[in-house]
Amino acid sequence: MIKKYFINYCAFPILVLISAAFHWSEEDFTQFISNKLLRYRQVLPSEKAYLHLDKPYYVTNDTLWFKAYLTESSLHLADSASNLLYVDLIDQRSGKNAGLKRVRMDGGTGRGEIVLADSIAPGAYTIRAYTNWMRNFDDAFFFQKNIYVFDRQDTGAAPQASGPIDLQFFPEGGQLVAGISTRIAFKGINSSGLGEDISGFVLASNKDTVASFNSEHLGMGRFQFLPKDGESYEAFVKEKDGKITRVNFPAIQENGFTMLVDNLSNPFKTRVLAYAKIPGQTEIPVHVVGHSRGIVAFVAKGKIGNRGLMMQLPTAELPDGITHLTLFDDKGKPVCERLVFIDHSRSLRVNVAATKSSYKPRELSEVEVTVTDSTGKPVQANLSVSVTDAGQILQAPHDQNIVSYLLLSSDLKGFIEKPSYYFDPAIAQRKIHMDYLMMTQGWTRFKWNDVLQDSIQAPKRYIEQGVTMEGDVKRNNKKLTEKTALSLYLSNDSLSTFMTSETDNEGHFTIYNLVFEDSLKIRLQGMNKKGNQNLSFILKPFEAPRATVVKVPFKPVTVDAKQLADFLRRAAEDQEIARKIRANRERLLQEVTIKAKKEVPRDARKLYNSADATLKVTQQMASGYTSVLDMLAGRVAGLSVMGSGMNASVSIRGNRGEPLFVLDGMPVDKGLITSLNVYDVESIDVLKGASAAIYGSRGGNGVISVLTKRGNDNYDYSQDIVPGVLVSKIVGFAVPKEFYAPAYPVTAPPSTLPDYRSTIFWAPLLQTDSNGKVRFKYHNSDAATTVDIRAEVLTPTGIPGFGKSVYSVR
């Protein structure tokens, strides 16, 4: 007898899905597993990042354009938790980071570019994308894509694979048990890390051939096998040169469990066959748990008898993608695992169509993208489009796209060769080949041991919604022994603000979620009552995750020699034209003499034109005082200072309350003014009566405006070092550039500059309307060629889509 408990995966939010299992079933094990998975996902929810690149390979001085997508991992909803995505470029030979971008994510999307300057050597690179939160998990979950940067001398010849074949066997369910027939999947990989078609055989200890095997797709295949009691086996693979090489064969277990899964015979049901050989047990209660990306899909209960156990598990309500099946024994221990891929073709339908099948060079092209769901209804979605010259850029066959990444590659560890092959409806054998992949590529998102343990370790890294600044404070180069208050002045072209913070007992401080573009100038100092001059500050730079050096030489698709030569030649011409255009903008003028009265620029920190009194602070003056207010005492008529240091109070004659304090144009409290390092003060302005009216009611008691040296844009930091003050810059969100596509108006005279762009057009921020449509226009280049258009799409509800089209230019 089999009991099954199913959850409608697509109809409810995540938490309702799990709690629904409790309502439908009173089984303790069902509730136990659901609780464990829910708790794990609550403590360690995960994210996925994906980059759509404009093309698969580049040349030095080229620009790599990218569109970034960020989702949560289970339902692929647009992720608004992390607003900062790191994108970097890793040299595969050295593992060094050749470029880092901080991309601001808005509603799960962002964009940017990496300029491949001369400083970036030609060769193989990996572009990565990850959030700070994703660093709590294995870096195998980072988005990673191999690219290649050519130089003008590159011939495009890919290294030839050499060396022995790496052949591995994978018993279905995880183990071979003596006396139980099962299936064994296998995969052969060459020295380039790619699947290699192979054949071979298995010998028993008496040297009889008991099985033979031949790969069917990218070195993968499977065969039926019945291990016998007390027998040992060895396998042999046939090399291309006819050489026969011995390879390791899985060990035979005397007792245990096996599980076979048929996910292909019926599109709406998965058949599970479970067998067991356990001494002293003829009926063994078991559970089969199915979950899709960490959300419980079903729990089935049954007993394995002498003839095994067969279950028919409906899959119609499961989402497209990988479902993880686990067989638990009567003690609640996972004993067999198997991945299956659910393919109901629920991805978006993306139709890309130009208004004409053929255009002329430099003619205006108009393209329409229509996005519908699997039932044909229009869908509003976010998309990015790349248009390339197919005469220069050869797209890799069945390369990664957003559909294959989110539904397949992002949930498996290791390299997936030709991932979009498994989603091409024109390939009749794709589903059986996908099943081979499920048997040979291991599950990696989490391990059951991590989920089932009583306590889950809290994550070490946090979700970032902005840039993080952290560092350490020391006194006399020694660790602090108590918390210390800090003041920060932050400024750039569009931001000017003050903040306060505090160190921990050991002097470490962290400022979270700073939102700014490009860079930010910071001025940091302590706010304690004494000893500020003895403080020193160390900012911790961002440390990108270490990258593993790829030993296998990577080369992109094998590019036709003439096609590569055209790409490199035209790229060089394009860069030379750009260089000449920049040079022509600079003209040497005749000497001229300009006579005029020098205009003194107005200090942007001052709202007022002039002050009633100004105190210029000199080095000698500062050396005699520890506080700004101490310096003012007795130097400004009508201004009274009572007390000293942090305890000083100040008033301007005719007013009962204290004046408004302003620091470099920003109103602040008195405590920040009194904590300033006097060596950093440039001047102090005092405003009384009508002069202070520009500050409104806040200036009713007068204004004391303090201007610092470092707040002055013209200040030369190299000439003056102030003890206890750190002035530095930190990097913020990268400012994305706009892709330049030339326009050729019909009425304008023809340009004499040749135009052979390899990326003809790049549109990262398109959005379909209520009819599921979006149109865009661009001018073709001078090349008589085939133009390749590729669109990647993601809805707010997490459904991906991919579409492509071509047209000719004659």
Side-chain angles (χ1 to χ4, degrees):
M1 179 180 177
I2 303 171
K3 296 182 181 179
K4 299 185 285 286
Y5 314 107
F6 296 95
I7 298 172
N8 187 333
Y9 191 101
C10 303
F12 304 103
I14 296 170
L15 295 181
V16 177
L17 284 172
I18 301 296
S19 62
F22 305 162
H23 176 72
W24 291 346
S25 169
E26 296 179 358
E27 293 291 332
D28 292 340
F29 186 80
T30 303
Q31 185 168 346
F32 170 77
I33 286 295
S34 298
N35 278 336
K36 289 293 187 180
L37 280 171
L38 174 59
R39 184 171 60 93
Y40 186 84
R41 292 180 57 255
Q42 287 176 334
V43 176
L44 293 173
S46 53
E47 298 174 318
K48 292 182 181 180
Y50 175 77
L51 298 183
H52 175 197
L53 308 186
D54 64 313
K55 54 194 175 190
Y57 50 87
Y58 300 83
V59 68
T60 50
N61 286 318
D62 205 346
T63 298
L64 181 156
W65 302 91
F66 63 83
K67 164 70 173 289
Y69 296 87
L70 184 63
T71 74
E72 57 83 39
S73 291
S74 297
L75 298 177
H76 298 149
L77 303 176
D79 182 25
S80 58
S82 292
N83 292 337
L84 171 56
L85 181 72
Y86 297 96
V87 177
D88 56 21
L89 194 64
I90 304 300
D91 188 330
Q92 291 187 4
R93 293 156 295 190
S94 64
K96 292 183 178 179
N97 202 323
L100 174 68
K101 292 282 185 176
R102 292 170 174 82
V103 181
R104 185 173 183 177
M105 305 301 292
D106 183 9
T109 64
R111 63 189 176 105
E113 75 290 325
I114 296 177
V115 177
L116 306 172
D118 286 334
S119 57
I120 296 179
Y125 290 84
T126 297
I127 186 168
R128 301 189 304 180
Y130 52 91
T131 64
N132 190 54
W133 179 259
M134 290 169 68
R135 297 178 69 179
N136 288 307
F137 308 90
D138 194 323
D139 61 7
F141 302 138
F142 294 177
F143 172 83
Q144 300 185 68
K145 182 177 177 62
N146 294 328
I147 65 167
Y148 201 89
V149 180
F150 290 99
D151 62 9
R152 299 182 187 182
Q153 287 74 42
D154 207 312
T155 62
Q160 297 298 313
S162 60
I165 301 297
D166 178 15
L167 176 62
Q168 296 186 44
F169 295 95
F170 304 89
E172 188 165 10
Q175 59 183 344
L176 292 177
V177 179
I180 301 178
S181 179
T182 188
R183 296 183 297 188
I184 300 178
F186 61 90
K187 185 172 185 178
I189 299 175
N190 61 29
S191 60
S192 295
L194 303 178
E196 182 83 11
D197 285 334
I198 58 165
S199 62
F201 52 89
V202 180
L203 297 183
S205 58
N206 61 3
K207 305 304 179 183
D208 284 347
T209 301
V210 293
S212 62
F213 52 87
N214 288 278
S215 62
E216 297 181 30
H217 171 67
L218 298 178
M220 293 182 290
R222 68 184 172 202
F223 60 94
Q224 198 76 23
F225 190 74
L226 174 59
K228 295 183 179 179
D229 284 315
E231 185 63 272
S232 61
Y233 302 91
E234 53 185 352
F236 295 85
V237 60
K238 298 177 182 178
E239 304 280 358
K240 284 184 177 180
D241 58 2
K243 181 182 177 182
I244 297 178
T245 305
R246 184 185 181 280
V247 294
N248 292 328
F249 194 73
I252 311 301
Q253 306 298 321
E254 290 299 319
N255 302 293
F257 293 81
T258 66
M259 181 173 67
L260 283 74
V261 179
D262 176 12
N263 187 46
L264 302 176
S265 300
N266 190 319
F268 304 109
K269 291 184 179 181
T270 292
R271 185 173 63 167
V272 176
L273 302 172
Y275 299 91
K277 183 183 176 185
I278 304 297
Q281 290 185 270
T282 57
E283 280 195 344
I284 305 173
V286 294
H287 288 85
V288 174
V289 176
H291 71 83
S292 298
R293 298 190 286 270
I295 301 178
V296 174
F298 53 75
V299 178
K301 180 180 180 181
K303 292 182 179 180
I304 300 179
N306 292 330
R307 296 184 178 182
L309 170 68
M310 185 183 76
M311 300 179 176
Q312 295 280 1
L313 305 176
T315 58
E317 296 300 321
L318 297 185
D320 285 17
I322 295 173
T323 291
H324 185 187
L325 302 177
T326 304
L327 178 70
F328 288 83
D329 65 12
D330 53 339
K331 298 179 179 62
K333 177 183 177 182
V335 290
C336 290
E337 292 187 322
R338 173 75 149 86
L339 304 184
V340 296
F341 192 88
I342 305 300
D343 186 0
H344 297 307
S345 300
R346 293 194 182 114
S347 297
L348 301 175
R349 307 294 186 263
V350 182
N351 181 55
V352 182
T355 54
K356 300 195 309 183
S357 60
S358 178
Y359 292 87
K360 296 179 180 179
R362 299 198 178 189
E363 186 179 355
L364 182 67
S365 289
E366 185 172 2
V367 179
E368 182 178 79
V369 179
T370 304
V371 181
T372 60
D373 62 17
S374 56
T375 65
K377 294 181 180 179
V379 172
Q380 288 184 289
N382 193 290
L383 68 150
S384 48
V385 173
S386 173
V387 182
T388 56
D389 179 352
Q392 299 184 60
I393 302 299
L394 178 63
Q395 299 288 347
H398 299 115
D399 198 10
Q400 190 83 267
N401 59 50
I402 194 169
V403 177
S404 64
Y405 184 76
L406 290 182
L407 298 185
L408 177 65
S409 303
S410 60
D411 288 324
L412 293 176
K413 199 169 187 177
F415 174 68
I416 309 295
E417 189 177 352
K418 298 183 178 180
S420 62
Y421 167 92
Y422 305 101
F423 298 85
D424 189 343
I427 300 174
Q429 298 296 314
R430 66 185 179 93
K431 290 189 177 182
I432 181 66
H433 294 162
M434 173 73 89
D435 208 41
Y436 295 164
L437 182 68
M438 293 295 99
M439 292 180 67
T440 58
Q441 204 92 17
W443 175 265
T444 58
R445 273 286 163 185
F446 62 78
K447 297 178 181 178
W448 276 114
N449 288 340
D450 297 333
V451 175
L452 299 178
Q453 62 185 339
D454 293 332
S455 62
I456 300 175
Q457 187 175 1
K460 295 181 180 180
R461 297 184 179 272
Y462 44 84
I463 290 174
E464 288 183 322
Q465 296 182 324
V467 177
T468 301
M469 180 181 73
E470 63 178 320
D472 292 295
V473 182
K474 293 184 178 182
R475 178 174 290 112
N476 296 322
N477 291 324
K478 296 180 180 180
K479 282 187 176 182
L480 299 183
T481 57
E482 60 181 6
K483 295 180 179 180
T484 299
L486 303 175
S487 68
L488 297 95
Y489 175 62
L490 312 173
S491 64
N492 62 11
D493 293 338
S494 59
L495 173 68
S496 181
T497 187
F498 278 95
M499 298 178 63
T500 59
S501 184
E502 189 178 53
T503 71
D504 61 20
N505 289 327
E506 296 183 346
H508 185 76
F509 67 92
T510 307
I511 311 296
Y512 299 99
N513 300 329
L514 296 173
V515 180
F516 62 97
E517 292 185 332
D518 195 14
S519 63
L520 190 67
K521 185 170 68 175
I522 65 165
R523 175 180 167 277
L524 177 64
Q525 71 178 71
M527 291 180 62
N528 62 330
K529 296 181 179 180
K530 58 181 180 179
N532 279 350
Q533 295 185 23
N534 297 326
L535 296 179
S536 59
F537 305 89
I538 301 173
L539 289 183
K540 289 189 175 181
F542 173 78
E543 293 184 5
R546 289 187 178 182
T548 303
V549 177
V550 178
K551 295 181 180 179
V552 177
F554 167 75
K555 202 76 170 184
V557 292
T558 303
V559 184
D560 177 78
K562 182 179 182 304
Q563 188 177 35
L564 178 61
D566 289 343
F567 168 60
L568 297 177
R569 185 186 77 252
R570 287 174 171 174
E573 292 173 353
D574 241 8
Q575 293 169 11
E576 181 62 20
I577 290 169
R579 187 193 64 78
K580 289 180 178 179
I581 291 174
R582 289 194 299 270
N584 289 337
R585 290 175 183 160
E586 301 173 3
R587 301 290 185 183
L588 184 62
L589 301 178
Q590 299 280 342
E591 182 180 344
V592 295
T593 301
I594 299 175
K595 295 182 179 181
K597 184 178 179 181
K598 182 179 180 181
E599 182 177 347
V600 179
R602 185 174 179 273
D603 193 328
R605 297 172 293 174
K606 297 181 179 181
L607 292 179
Y608 48 90
N609 291 321
S610 60
D612 294 296
T614 297
L615 178 65
K616 293 288 184 180
V617 179
T618 64
Q619 186 83 3
Q620 292 75 19
M621 184 187 301
S623 63
Y625 299 93
T626 59
S627 166
V628 169
L629 298 185
D630 291 344
M631 286 192 292
L632 282 175
R635 282 192 166 91
V636 177
L639 186 143
S640 173
V641 178
M642 302 295 293
S644 63
M646 297 285 289
N647 299 317
S649 61
V650 61
S651 62
I652 296 176
R653 186 180 303 158
N655 299 296
R656 295 182 178 179
E658 288 195 327
L660 172 69
F661 294 95
V662 177
L663 181 60
D664 286 329
M666 293 291 297
V668 297
D669 59 28
K670 185 180 69 174
L672 187 56
I673 293 296
T674 56
S675 69
L676 285 174
N677 190 310
V678 291
Y679 288 95
D680 196 28
V681 177
E682 179 180 73
S683 62
I684 307 169
D685 289 339
V686 178
L687 283 67
K688 311 173 187 176
S691 301
I694 195 168
Y695 288 95
S697 59
R698 294 179 300 172
N701 292 323
V703 175
I704 294 179
S705 174
V706 179
L707 303 176
T708 65
K709 298 173 182 178
R710 284 163 171 74
N712 191 332
D713 290 336
N714 299 319
Y715 179 69
D716 183 2
Y717 300 108
S718 64
Q719 299 301 314
D720 188 14
I721 299 176
V722 177
V725 176
L726 173 68
V727 176
S728 183
K729 283 190 175 182
I730 57 174
V731 179
F733 290 109
V735 181
K737 297 179 181 179
E738 295 296 329
F739 179 82
Y740 171 71
Y744 300 113
V746 177
T747 56
S751 172
T752 59
L753 296 175
D755 176 7
Y756 290 102
R757 291 161 282 153
S758 57
T759 299
I760 298 172
F761 187 66
W762 169 250
L765 298 179
L766 296 177
Q767 185 81 28
T768 58
D769 58 20
S770 58
N771 297 315
K773 298 180 182 292
V774 64
R775 286 199 170 203
F776 54 92
K777 301 177 182 179
Y778 56 88
H779 286 269
N780 290 293
S781 67
D782 288 334
T785 186
T786 298
V787 172
D788 186 272
I789 311 173
R790 296 182 174 236
E792 311 229 9
V793 189
L794 184 65
T795 70
T797 56
I799 305 175
F802 172 78
K804 62 181 180 179
S805 181
V806 297
Y807 66 81
S808 60
V809 177
R810 301 173 182 172

